[in-house]
Amino acid sequence: MDYLEKYKYWANNEYFDVNTKEELELIKNDEEEIKSRFYKDLTFGTAGLRGIIGAGTNRMNRYTVSLATQGLATTIIDKGNEAIKRGVAIAYDVRHFSKEFAHIAARVLAANGIKVYLFDDIRPTPLLSYTIRRLNTISGIVITASHNPKDYNGYKVYWEEGSQILDDMASEILDNINKIEDFSRIKLIDIDEGLNKGLITYIAKEIDDEYIERVKSLRLNDDIDKDINIVYTPLNGTGNKLVRRVLSERGFTNVFVVPEQENPDPDFKTVGYPNPEDVKAFEYAKKLGKEKNADVLIATDPDCDRVSCMVKGNDKSYIGLNGNQIGALLVNYILSSRYEKKNIPENGVIVKSIVTDDLSRAIADKYDVKTIETLTGFKHICNKANEFDRTKENTFIFGYEESIGYVYSNFVRDKDGVISSMLIAEMTAYYKKAGKSLLDVLEEIYQEHGYYSSNLISIVLEGIEGSKRIQRIMDSFREDPIIAIEGMKLTNTIDYLKDKTDTPKSNVLKYFLDDGSWYAIRPSGTEPKIKKYIYSKADDKTLSEKKIKDIEKAIMNKIKSVK
């Protein structure tokens, strides 16, 4: 069927509910909107589903969620009775329809005879990862669109190790989705029926308690200044209770929560784009920070898997740290602390993405710790922890990527804003007792290893035409790369889609220049964006930053030439 036929099918079929039909009636004379909603099915990939909420095959709604879940259910059934009995854990965030979508998923799984463990309220995404491992479920689902704007929601699938599914499992699920010829073939029972039959069980609060104890066990130092002033904002998301709890139980008494962003708000009215990677998300936190003379401002995104921070400078203003800088500080703090305690494992490994800078590698080399690179995404980073479990050849210490995602240790197999918030607070308190700020420590790292600068540029290109232009941009860089930039010459290119590498195939291009600088370009896997990652290294800060600007100018000029 073409998009108009799909629209008419949804608009006229009695299977679809009244609200859906009313929503579709409102757009009956808007062919472009109909096309946007029905020109394709919302793609199920290794990130699961993510899209704008609304009626249509290319939207997040109860029907696309039930379709994906039936595909997952069939996949689990194909694995046998043990997989069916082990079941699926389900969590959800604060977004519009998150609870409803979580319940739809539970109802479909239970109708297929699969055991379901369901959280009774919002929870951080990393807690789901922990729960999968703790309850030994075969799979897990979290309903979240992470840091996307309010109009989005999503559906992420995890497998038994507690990490997000990879391509092979996503393909199995997608194959089973594609075999479903009609929505009416999807099995569904009521929540109450599932509870009465013992097919659905609410997850006990003890899971929260166990998780918090495990997080606290990761502390590296107790000889710290616990009187530091911390401002925390969950950005109206799921981090509020557990981040505050772990900071309190670690002994931090001066934790001030941004009141306007404390409680759940699916519209994110105070921030709009709830991504702490953008310093604009810290506006309310900065105001409170000045009132409380905060040493550090910490923000987690709506599902509390990402975290960022701002640090008080010498002039009392707050300076934002990017994901590369926070990652380098954490690697330095973890390894230096463990070196002092003589408990760095001989086969310890730091895992980072291919678009994350190399400063952490220099730090890890100092402590004889190996660095391994993966494709972007924690499904790849934590798959290394899964691999290490099997081979016993390495020990996973820390994983991170420049997009403010970090995890320490491996009882959680995803980026974890709760663990990372505790470590950032502890690290700040540790260095303050030594008379240093995080900015001072970062400067010391630069002086020892060189000045690493970075910049991320994201260009939003929405809709069908946006998607086509992103592909044209990728084609242009792939076929006609920039040979020279202000005295820097291209020495090597890696095309992760076509070249043989140690990673799976991916539409990423990486260009290395003769002075040690490099840049990469790729389409986002979860948003209508094309991303450019620019990195430089020099003996001084000024030169390093100038190189970034020169590379950025060349890249942007080329992008603008692609119509």
Side-chain angles (χ1 to χ4, degrees):
M1 291 189 287
D2 65 19
Y3 63 89
L4 285 175
E5 290 173 322
K6 288 182 180 179
Y7 168 77
K8 291 174 184 177
Y9 175 79
W10 277 55
N12 299 320
N13 193 314
E14 292 182 359
Y15 179 79
F16 299 99
D17 65 281
V18 172
N19 291 337
T20 297
K21 291 178 179 295
E22 289 176 351
E23 184 178 335
L24 294 176
E25 176 68 17
L26 292 174
I27 64 167
K28 64 180 180 181
N29 297 317
D30 187 344
E31 186 168 345
E32 282 304 308
E33 180 64 17
I34 292 172
K35 186 176 182 180
S36 174
R37 290 171 181 248
F38 289 95
Y39 83 97
K40 68 173 186 176
D41 293 344
L42 193 63
T43 304
F44 186 93
T46 54
L49 301 172
R50 190 175 298 185
I52 297 170
I53 300 166
T57 59
N58 190 33
R59 293 290 186 268
M60 280 292 298
N61 53 64
R62 61 183 299 167
Y63 303 107
T64 50
V65 167
S66 66
L67 183 67
T69 310
Q70 184 60 59
L72 173 62
T74 304
T75 304
I76 291 171
I77 291 168
D78 290 343
K79 305 295 180 189
N81 288 332
E82 182 186 354
I84 293 169
K85 290 176 182 177
R86 287 172 65 185
V88 180
I90 301 177
Y92 59 93
D93 72 2
V94 304
R95 290 178 179 274
H96 290 293
F97 298 102
S98 282
K99 183 175 181 178
E100 178 183 345
F101 293 163
H103 282 211
I104 288 284
R107 292 168 60 194
V108 171
L109 291 166
N112 282 271
I114 296 168
K115 178 69 178 180
V116 175
Y117 299 92
L118 179 66
F119 279 104
D120 63 350
D121 201 354
I122 60 172
R123 290 296 194 284
T125 288
L127 182 57
L128 175 76
S129 174
Y130 172 77
T131 302
I132 292 167
R133 296 175 63 79
R134 172 64 180 80
L135 298 181
N136 192 35
T137 63
I138 190 66
S139 181
I141 299 167
V142 62
I143 306 297
T144 180
S146 188
H147 56 281
N148 284 66
K150 65 177 181 178
D151 298 328
Y152 284 75
N153 212 327
Y155 176 105
K156 287 201 293 188
V157 179
Y158 293 69
W159 208 241
E160 59 185 333
E161 301 94 341
S163 54
Q164 298 172 47
I165 57 172
L166 294 173
D167 288 346
D168 54 351
M169 187 56 62
S171 295
E172 280 190 50
I173 296 169
L174 182 59
D175 286 345
N176 284 316
I177 290 171
N178 291 336
K179 291 175 185 175
I180 301 169
E181 298 175 354
D182 191 280
F183 281 103
S184 62
R185 295 176 181 248
I186 298 170
K187 297 178 181 179
L188 199 67
I189 63 172
D190 291 334
I191 287 286
D192 287 342
E193 182 182 350
L195 289 167
N196 291 335
K197 289 182 175 180
L199 286 165
I200 299 175
T201 300
Y202 284 112
I203 296 170
K205 292 290 192 295
E206 286 78 12
I207 292 290
D208 292 5
D209 299 337
E210 292 177 12
Y211 169 74
I212 290 294
E213 289 302 314
R214 292 293 299 273
V215 174
K216 289 191 299 181
S217 75
L218 299 178
R219 63 186 178 274
L220 292 155
N221 292 289
D222 280 319
D223 186 17
I224 60 178
D225 183 355
K226 292 183 180 178
D227 291 329
I228 64 167
N229 293 331
I230 301 168
V231 163
Y232 169 62
T233 173
L235 295 180
N236 303 111
T238 62
N240 183 39
K241 291 183 179 179
L242 292 189
V243 170
R244 292 172 71 176
R245 179 177 170 185
V246 78
L247 293 179
S248 174
E249 293 186 18
R250 277 289 285 119
F252 295 104
T253 55
N254 302 321
V255 179
F256 306 97
V257 179
V258 176
E260 299 89 345
Q261 297 171 337
E262 177 179 3
N263 296 314
D265 176 14
D267 290 317
F268 309 111
K269 290 184 286 291
T270 62
V271 67
Y273 179 46
N275 184 2
E277 194 173 8
D278 185 344
V279 293
K280 294 184 183 124
F282 281 87
E283 287 306 309
Y284 283 79
K286 285 195 291 184
K287 181 180 176 182
L288 183 60
K290 289 176 182 177
E291 291 177 13
K292 302 298 183 182
N293 192 29
D295 297 282
V296 64
L297 317 177
I298 298 173
T300 51
D301 71 342
D303 69 323
C304 195
D305 59 356
R306 300 179 187 224
V307 62
S308 193
C309 68
M310 299 189 78
V311 181
K312 184 171 63 178
N314 293 330
D315 61 355
K316 307 300 183 184
S317 65
Y318 288 98
I319 298 171
L321 299 179
N322 62 40
N324 288 299
Q325 293 169 324
I326 296 170
L329 283 165
L330 286 169
V331 169
N332 183 71
Y333 177 63
I334 290 165
L335 295 184
S336 63
S337 296
R338 294 189 65 165
Y339 179 79
E340 288 179 7
K341 296 174 173 59
K342 296 181 171 54
N343 65 359
I344 295 179
E346 289 185 9
N347 57 351
V349 171
I350 302 295
V351 183
K352 72 179 187 71
S353 74
I354 59 173
V355 294
T356 298
D357 85 0
D358 294 317
L359 180 53
S360 65
R361 184 192 297 275
I363 296 166
D365 286 346
K366 174 182 175 180
Y367 295 101
D368 293 323
V369 171
K370 184 163 55 173
T371 299
I372 292 177
E373 289 190 338
T374 70
L375 294 179
T376 303
F378 259 74
K379 58 182 175 284
H380 298 294
I381 289 171
C382 286
N383 185 55
K384 286 297 177 182
N386 301 337
E387 178 185 310
F388 300 162
D389 281 351
R390 294 189 294 270
T391 65
K392 310 299 182 185
E393 292 177 358
N394 294 296
T395 300
F396 184 94
I397 296 176
F398 182 78
Y400 83 107
E401 56 186 3
E402 48 70 41
S403 55
I404 61 171
Y406 322 93
V407 68
Y408 176 45
S409 191
N410 63 7
F411 63 84
V412 170
R413 297 287 167 94
D414 204 354
K415 50 189 176 289
D416 191 323
V418 182
I419 292 173
S420 303
S421 293
M422 184 193 78
L423 288 178
I424 289 170
E426 181 188 304
M427 178 170 63
T428 303
Y430 176 81
Y431 289 122
K432 185 175 184 184
K433 187 158 188 178
K436 303 174 185 177
S437 73
L438 294 186
L439 296 173
D440 296 328
V441 178
L442 189 59
E443 180 64 24
E444 290 176 356
I445 293 171
Y446 287 147
Q447 289 182 11
E448 181 177 359
H449 299 288
Y451 282 84
Y452 289 71
S453 294
S454 64
N455 192 22
L456 166 65
I457 308 167
S458 294
I459 299 177
V460 177
L461 296 169
E462 296 181 314
I464 302 169
E465 291 307 314
S467 178
K468 290 179 180 178
R469 186 167 179 230
I470 287 172
Q471 187 55 53
R472 289 197 296 273
I473 292 170
M474 292 299 298
D475 289 343
S476 177
F477 274 85
R478 181 171 275 118
E479 295 164 7
D480 184 25
I482 303 169
I483 302 300
I485 302 173
E486 295 296 326
M488 297 174 280
K489 294 182 180 179
L490 181 67
T491 59
N492 187 34
T493 301
I494 299 178
D495 185 337
Y496 287 89
L497 190 62
K498 296 182 177 180
D499 296 344
K500 185 177 180 180
T501 69
D502 292 332
T503 66
K505 299 292 185 183
S506 184
N507 192 15
V508 184
L509 296 167
K510 193 169 180 179
Y511 300 94
F512 298 88
L513 305 176
D514 60 358
D515 69 325
S517 301
W518 59 269
Y519 65 93
I521 182 167
R522 74 177 183 92
S524 171
T526 57
E527 300 170 275
K529 292 179 178 180
I530 187 165
K531 294 187 173 185
K532 284 80 59 191
Y533 307 81
I534 307 171
Y535 295 96
S536 69
K537 180 189 175 186
D539 292 333
D540 66 81
K541 183 178 181 181
T542 301
L543 180 56
S544 182
E545 291 179 347
K546 180 184 183 299
K547 289 179 179 181
I548 290 290
K549 291 177 181 178
D550 291 341
I551 297 169
E552 177 182 338
K553 182 179 178 181
I555 292 173
M556 291 307 297
N557 284 341
K558 184 171 180 62
I559 287 174
K560 288 174 184 175
S561 71
V562 180
K563 303 302 181 184

